[in-house]
Amino acid sequence: MKRSGLVFGVMVVGIALLLWAGWHNLRERRLAMQQAQENHVVLVPEKAGSAAQDSQSPEAEAMQMRGKVAPAFTLATLDGKKVSLSDYKGRPVLVNFWATWCGPCKVEMPWFEEFRKQYAAQGFEILGLADDVDAGKDAIAKVAQKTGVTYPILLTDGKIQKAYGGPDGMDYLPMSFYVDKNGVIVEETAGLGSKDEIEAHIKKIVASEATAAGGQ
């Protein structure tokens, strides 16, 4: 009788250990999933509804312009004013490609506006290049107003996407190019990063030193 009771006790302890191990494992998995979600970067194909491209990783593509002089451009604003990258010579500039249908773009745009005001004293500026001009000026203006941005919104011409994204243009949106005071792209990102990551990139170009030969 004592022996059977001992066996029963061992079984109870064993079952309890198994349950604890299962719960612990589930907790660890949940923590890992939570961490992965916090570090998640959203990538949206440039064409709405297009299939994902696997010929080259977005991370690799996002390195192709780093260290190069930012391609020059002159584009029109929503009210027809001509704006050139060279207008901001000697200033840190964030060139951001976005679209009206791009959800992640609309998430980061209020952050951009916040940082624009925060680093205005250092000459920091943002140029928002609307990729889907065919959506119409009214639709583009509506998104800009809804997200609260006051920085220049420029209408792309098809050529600028190729200058920054390659022969096929932009594969992913949003795409951001952080241009320092010498007109050099020091960081390039594809998709939606965290607010802290965006600010870190901005701090890098704001802290850059302009040289006599530099400029957009």
Side-chain angles (χ1 to χ4, degrees):
M1 187 72 177
K2 290 182 179 180
R3 185 174 181 180
S4 61
L6 179 62
V7 171
F8 178 75
V10 171
M11 290 177 63
V12 170
V13 172
I15 292 172
L17 287 172
L18 287 173
L19 290 173
W20 178 86
W23 174 84
H24 183 72
N25 184 51
L26 179 61
R27 180 173 177 272
E28 291 296 319
R29 290 176 61 186
R30 285 178 177 174
L31 287 173
M33 289 178 65
Q34 182 179 356
Q35 183 68 28
Q37 290 176 349
E38 290 176 351
N39 294 329
H40 182 58
V41 174
V42 179
L43 289 168
V44 179
E46 193 275 339
K47 297 298 182 182
S50 65
Q53 300 181 11
D54 57 3
S55 59
Q56 185 178 9
S57 69
E59 292 80 3
E61 291 179 354
M63 299 298 117
Q64 63 182 3
M65 294 296 290
R66 183 184 292 179
K68 297 180 180 179
V69 174
F73 59 80
T74 299
L75 300 170
T77 63
L78 292 172
D79 58 5
K81 179 184 177 182
K82 294 291 185 180
V83 173
S84 300
L85 183 60
S86 59
D87 295 340
Y88 304 92
K89 182 177 181 180
R91 296 172 57 182
V93 179
L94 167 54
V95 178
N96 172 251
F97 288 83
W98 67 283
T100 58
W101 51 261
C102 172
C105 300
K106 300 172 188 177
V107 172
E108 67 181 6
M109 288 169 77
W111 298 345
F112 290 159
E113 181 66 21
E114 178 184 336
F115 292 135
R116 182 194 186 215
K117 294 176 181 177
Q118 183 176 339
Y119 295 98
Q122 289 92 334
F124 175 61
E125 183 57 287
I126 300 170
L127 300 177
L129 278 59
D131 186 71
D132 57 339
V133 177
D134 55 351
K137 292 183 180 180
D138 290 342
I140 294 171
K142 184 177 180 180
V143 173
Q145 183 178 12
K146 189 174 181 179
T147 53
V149 301
T150 59
Y151 53 79
I153 298 297
L154 309 181
L155 304 175
T156 54
D157 56 6
K159 298 178 182 178
I160 189 63
Q161 289 95 324
K162 293 181 179 180
Y164 280 80
D168 298 324
M170 295 294 160
D171 290 324
Y172 293 92
L173 290 177
M175 285 288 294
S176 294
F177 301 84
Y178 297 80
V179 185
D180 70 7
K181 297 174 184 177
N182 298 304
V184 176
I185 297 172
V186 297
E187 290 291 347
E188 177 182 0
T189 61
L192 175 65
S194 71
K195 189 175 181 180
D196 289 341
E197 289 171 343
I198 291 172
E199 185 174 20
H201 295 327
I202 292 173
K203 286 181 177 179
K204 184 179 292 187
I205 59 175
V206 165
S208 63
E209 294 293 335
T211 62
Q216 282 88 1

